[in-house]
Amino acid sequence: MALLELQGITKFYQVGSVEVRALRGIDLFVEKNQYLSIMGPSGSGKSTLMNIIGCLDTPSNGTYILDGSIIHGNSIDENNGHHTVSDDQLAYIRNQKIGFVFQTFNLLPRISALANVELPLIYAGFPKKERIEAAKYALERVQLADRMTHKPNELSGGQRQRVAIARALVNNPSIILADEPTGNLDSKTSNEIMELLQQLHQGGNTIILVTHEAEIAENAQRIVHVRDGLIDQDTKTNRIF
Amino acid sequence: MGPYLQSALIAFSALFTNKTRAFLTMLGIIIGILSVSLMGAAISGVDNVFDDSMKSIGDRVLYIQKYPWFMGNGEWWEFRNRPNLEPEYVDKILEKSKYAEFASASLQRSANLRFRDYAIENTVVEGTNWQSAYINAPKLAQGRYFSQVEDRVSAKVAVIGSEVAINLFPNLDPIGQEFFINSTRVKVIGVLEAQGKFLGLFSQDNIITLPYQTAKNILGYTRHLSIAVKITDGVDLETAKEEIRYIMRNIRKQRPMDSDNFAINQQEAFKQQLDGIKLAITAVGLGITALSLIVGGIGIMNIMFVSVKERTREIGIRKALGARRSVILFQFLSEAVFISFIGGLIGVLLTTGLVGLLKKYFVASLSPNLILIALLVSVITGIVSGIVPANQAAKLDPIESIRHE
């Protein structure tokens, strides 16, 4: 069974009187420990797709199963034919199964790197001692053990992104979802970050990378092209792992 | 419980990132709580003093007098034509009444005192009957009251108030000393315990009590006579009052259609009067207090809306990382409660200081209960004013708020 199953996923928005069809029927299966890139120009629907995969949003229709949990589905036992989850259940799933890495890092500015990495564990309800232990270990994995007490504004862009990656790793998620992780970085730092993701993949993590840069997308084993709300191409790269 | 505790800690530390703002917001609550607790302290102070003062009147005692204690507009002009009371009424009342246990006449006028080189002007001199010792007399610190015989023979003996004792006989045992009231020599046979001030205003210790006729001889004055009647325990006070009224009308030979030409006063009248005043103070106080707390609460609500707006992105990040609605709600609600509670705490501390100062000039008393209520009110204000902004924060969409700059 695939780690991530999307079948017939659609997403329609009502903007005034106009219906925007962001996704028009996406089928996607991702196996455990796969390294996948989602590519597409802006307006293609790749951000919407990422939000749905990341459980930040729910689809209008279709089935989404993540690591055995039905996030959204057409099931017969529900009155309206949909299996839906509440806001709080989505928060729980994000906390347990997804590690986010954002283009703009999205670290909290007033607290240390260690405290930032601790955040997902706070919301998972871990006691302080375990939180600090796990956060330290995650920061060691991204080679930032010596920068734990620094606040984000005392770190370089590459270091901030590594803190964000540590935060994504800390709760042992089913997938790491990286949205343009190198978008705000220079090419040297970008390479370092891509190498780090590569290492995590080799260490057994499942990674979904969302980007519009072909060069960055080439780091993955598999590239999915999204265009006009549909999957346009699904290719394997030459990378051998 | 873990995430909620952490949220409270986050909320607490958020106060320190904007110290000035938090303090200015607190100011409204400080003022509100200050007025709540000062009001409460003043009311309970008045209450305590009132209870003490009422003991000197006695709750089983009826006072027959020319005027009622509390008169309406213009009534005085009507009552001033009433005949004066006579000391002989005392025996007649005792003879005819089934319910009167003791009765005693009382007249008061100020006089000057002298002992060796010490002189006191304008001390209240009261002439009364021996029974007054059993009606409403304060406890004795030293000595005794005058006896029935001393009363009958108009002995020149005096029971003096504590203030008189201190001022007239400094460093001396007053018992047995002889001093002058105007130009008459009298002997001290008893000293009263300190009474404090009636309703916190008039000293009850600057007084001298003499046998009735002795006082009348010295003061030469009988117009404002008052007769105190102690009603036997267990008798309904209203029934007794009706009986005394009937006896008085008989003594005065009033016709059935005439209205009473005397007044029967009792402690109840004071209570009613004071209850009215207390109600007025409380109502005005509550109004002002509620208003200042509402203003303070609006201040908190306002600043919480700003805080939620400023931290939209932080909220988005927290939600993306798995913070549930209730956790976010709790974080912002506890921030509002902290502001308001700390404000309340400062308000209570200020009140404690002010009450200490106020006690020198006016009555006030701050009880632990009152402090607890004030703090509770501050917490409730925080919850009420924080709930709407906190709920707004909790409901934010993570996708949109994470993009918020």
Side-chain angles (χ1 to χ4, degrees):
Chain A
M1 198 174 69
L3 180 69
L4 193 136
E5 291 181 45
L6 293 117
Q7 274 183 298
I9 294 289
T10 61
K11 184 70 183 180
F12 305 143
Y13 298 102
Q14 203 69 36
V15 180
S17 56
V18 186
E19 193 184 53
V20 178
R21 309 177 125 212
L23 297 177
R24 298 191 293 153
I26 298 274
D27 296 322
L28 182 67
F29 294 83
V30 179
E31 299 298 328
K32 196 167 162 46
N33 196 22
Q34 203 166 48
Y35 189 171
L36 171 88
S37 281
I38 297 175
M39 269 197 79
S42 60
S44 61
K46 72 176 190 304
S47 288
T48 307
L49 180 59
M50 192 208 75
N51 288 339
I52 287 171
I53 292 173
C55 296
L56 289 164
D57 203 355
T58 49
S60 304
N61 218 331
T63 306
Y64 175 27
I65 300 170
L66 171 63
D67 197 13
S69 308
I70 303 171
I71 310 298
H72 192 270
N74 301 325
S75 85
I76 44 165
D77 41 274
E78 295 288 330
N79 293 337
N80 58 3
H82 291 292
H83 174 92
T84 50
V85 288
S86 73
D87 225 38
D88 279 354
Q89 281 170 305
L90 282 180
Y92 176 77
I93 290 162
R94 287 197 295 273
N95 184 255
Q96 298 290 313
K97 303 202 169 185
I98 295 158
F100 287 103
V101 179
F102 300 97
Q103 178 175 0
T104 51
F105 322 134
N106 282 333
L107 299 175
L108 295 188
R110 289 202 189 86
I111 56 176
S112 69
L114 187 72
N116 263 292
V117 177
E118 266 185 73
L119 283 172
L121 302 176
I122 285 177
Y123 296 121
F126 281 92
K128 190 179 172 115
K129 209 178 149 206
E130 287 179 41
R131 280 202 317 260
I132 291 177
E133 236 166 67
K136 276 183 181 170
Y137 177 64
L139 280 166
E140 277 165 21
R141 284 179 73 185
V142 298
Q143 286 106 46
L144 272 181
D146 54 337
R147 290 281 190 278
M148 285 191 295
T149 57
H150 293 235
K151 289 184 177 169
N153 61 6
E154 298 162 341
L155 298 170
S156 70
Q159 287 171 330
R160 287 184 209 182
Q161 194 58 300
R162 280 198 267 163
V163 173
I165 291 171
R167 183 178 66 184
L169 283 174
V170 75
N171 55 347
N172 292 317
S174 309
I175 52 169
I176 291 175
L177 200 55
D179 180 18
E180 304 275 11
T182 58
N184 280 18
L185 301 174
D186 59 51
S187 57
K188 183 172 168 284
T189 327
S190 293
N191 287 339
E192 284 171 22
I193 294 297
M194 292 321 293
E195 253 168 56
L196 181 58
L197 287 178
Q198 206 65 256
Q199 282 168 20
L200 295 177
H201 173 235
Q202 277 157 11
N205 283 94
T206 311
I207 298 174
I208 296 178
L209 179 70
V210 180
T211 184
H212 66 278
E213 290 178 73
E215 206 181 317
I216 296 291
E218 285 296 329
N219 284 284
Q221 295 168 301
R222 176 183 168 196
I223 303 176
V224 169
H225 287 264
V226 180
R227 189 178 291 272
D228 298 331
L230 286 168
I231 291 181
D232 180 58
Q233 272 179 47
D234 191 343
T235 53
K236 283 202 160 46
T237 60
N238 300 326
R239 271 195 183 267
I240 296 156
F241 296 95
Chain B
M1 212 39 232
Y4 295 98
L5 181 69
Q6 291 302 316
S7 294
L9 291 177
I10 292 159
F12 191 71
S13 59
L15 298 181
F16 295 92
T17 57
N18 264 315
K19 288 191 206 78
T20 318
R21 195 166 84 180
F23 178 73
L24 288 176
T25 313
M26 263 172 215
L27 216 51
I29 298 297
I30 293 174
I31 292 167
I33 292 299
L34 194 65
S35 58
V36 176
S37 42
L38 271 184
M39 190 64 53
I43 289 172
S44 67
V46 166
D47 252 2
N48 290 349
V49 165
F50 180 76
D51 287 348
D52 283 352
S53 300
M54 286 308 109
K55 278 181 200 145
S56 69
I57 297 180
D59 62 350
R60 304 278 311 158
V61 182
L62 300 176
Y63 292 85
I64 306 165
Q65 285 164 323
K66 184 169 174 178
Y67 299 104
W69 282 343
F70 301 101
M71 281 181 276
N73 246 348
E75 283 182 326
W76 188 80
W77 294 99
E78 190 184 315
F79 297 153
R80 67 193 287 266
N81 295 322
R82 288 173 169 180
N84 291 321
L85 296 173
E86 299 298 334
E88 292 73 36
Y89 294 176
V90 172
D91 287 336
K92 290 182 183 165
I93 289 166
L94 280 173
E95 184 190 317
K96 289 179 181 168
S97 170
K98 277 191 291 179
Y99 306 133
E101 193 180 3
F102 298 104
S104 159
S106 161
L107 71 96
Q108 286 191 353
R109 199 186 183 192
S110 65
N112 300 330
L113 312 181
R114 191 163 55 78
F115 173 71
R116 293 181 190 162
D117 292 336
Y118 301 100
I120 305 174
E121 294 188 333
N122 293 325
T123 296
V124 177
V125 174
E126 184 192 24
T128 185
N129 297 115
W130 64 276
Q131 292 100 323
S132 71
Y134 304 95
I135 297 177
N136 54 4
K139 285 203 180 90
L140 286 162
Q142 279 178 275
R144 58 177 181 88
Y145 276 102
F146 48 84
S147 66
Q148 190 173 1
V149 174
E150 281 167 327
D151 186 8
R152 195 171 303 154
V153 302
S154 313
K156 287 169 180 154
V157 291
V159 176
I160 63 175
S162 61
E163 213 176 299
V164 175
I166 291 165
N167 291 333
L168 209 56
F169 308 106
N171 312 317
L172 260 180
D173 180 8
I175 303 292
Q177 302 291 347
E178 295 192 336
F179 68 103
F180 288 92
I181 302 175
N182 292 345
S183 55
T184 307
R185 187 199 292 265
V186 294
K187 192 166 115 182
V188 179
I189 57 166
V191 180
L192 299 174
E193 276 184 359
Q195 301 297 299
K197 292 179 173 178
F198 186 72
L199 297 181
L201 298 171
F202 316 108
S203 171
Q204 300 181 97
D205 299 319
N206 190 23
I207 192 169
I208 289 183
T209 307
L210 305 172
Y212 182 81
Q213 195 57 45
T214 312
K216 196 182 168 190
N217 292 342
I218 294 172
L219 303 170
Y221 194 87
T222 52
R223 263 214 344 247
H224 287 295
L225 190 71
S226 160
I227 296 171
V229 181
K230 165 80 167 51
I231 304 304
T232 314
D233 286 341
V235 175
D236 176 51
L237 216 55
E238 283 308 304
T239 313
K241 194 175 173 180
E242 257 330 285
E243 191 215 27
I244 301 291
R245 188 174 155 245
Y246 172 79
I247 294 168
M248 275 301 294
R249 288 179 67 94
N250 249 325
I251 293 172
R252 287 276 171 88
K253 299 189 169 58
Q254 289 195 286
R255 285 171 305 187
M257 299 305 284
D258 294 342
S259 55
D260 295 350
N261 57 7
F262 55 89
I264 300 177
N265 292 312
Q266 62 189 105
Q267 186 187 321
E268 196 56 31
F270 261 101
K271 263 200 180 129
Q272 280 169 8
Q273 197 72 10
L274 197 91
D275 280 350
I277 295 168
K278 254 165 53 185
L279 195 73
I281 296 177
T282 312
V284 171
L286 273 182
I288 294 170
T289 299
L291 210 67
S292 56
L293 277 178
I294 288 171
V295 172
I298 290 172
I300 293 183
M301 195 185 284
N302 190 33
I303 223 67
M304 289 314 296
F305 275 124
V306 172
S307 185
V308 169
K309 194 89 187 159
E310 278 178 350
R311 281 144 72 191
T312 301
R313 183 157 168 167
E314 173 191 326
I315 296 162
I317 295 170
R318 290 185 186 280
K319 292 197 92 170
L321 298 179
R324 284 184 293 157
R325 278 186 182 193
S326 55
V327 171
I328 298 290
L329 183 105
F330 191 80
Q331 181 186 330
F332 285 88
L333 195 58
S334 38
E335 191 174 324
V337 170
F338 280 138
I339 291 178
S340 159
F341 180 72
I342 294 169
L345 216 56
I346 295 173
V348 166
L349 283 177
L350 285 178
T351 309
T352 315
L354 277 176
V355 164
L357 213 69
L358 204 65
K359 268 183 181 163
K360 291 178 183 161
Y361 308 101
F362 186 66
V363 292
S365 123
L366 190 65
S367 65
N369 268 349
L370 195 64
I371 292 175
L372 235 85
I373 290 171
L375 293 180
L376 198 70
V377 166
S378 72
V379 169
I380 291 170
T381 308
I383 292 173
V384 169
S385 48
I387 192 79
V388 177
N391 194 42
Q392 194 190 50
K395 279 187 177 164
L396 282 178
D397 175 41
I399 301 170
E400 276 171 32
S401 41
I402 217 162
R403 282 196 211 115
H404 191 271
E405 284 304 322

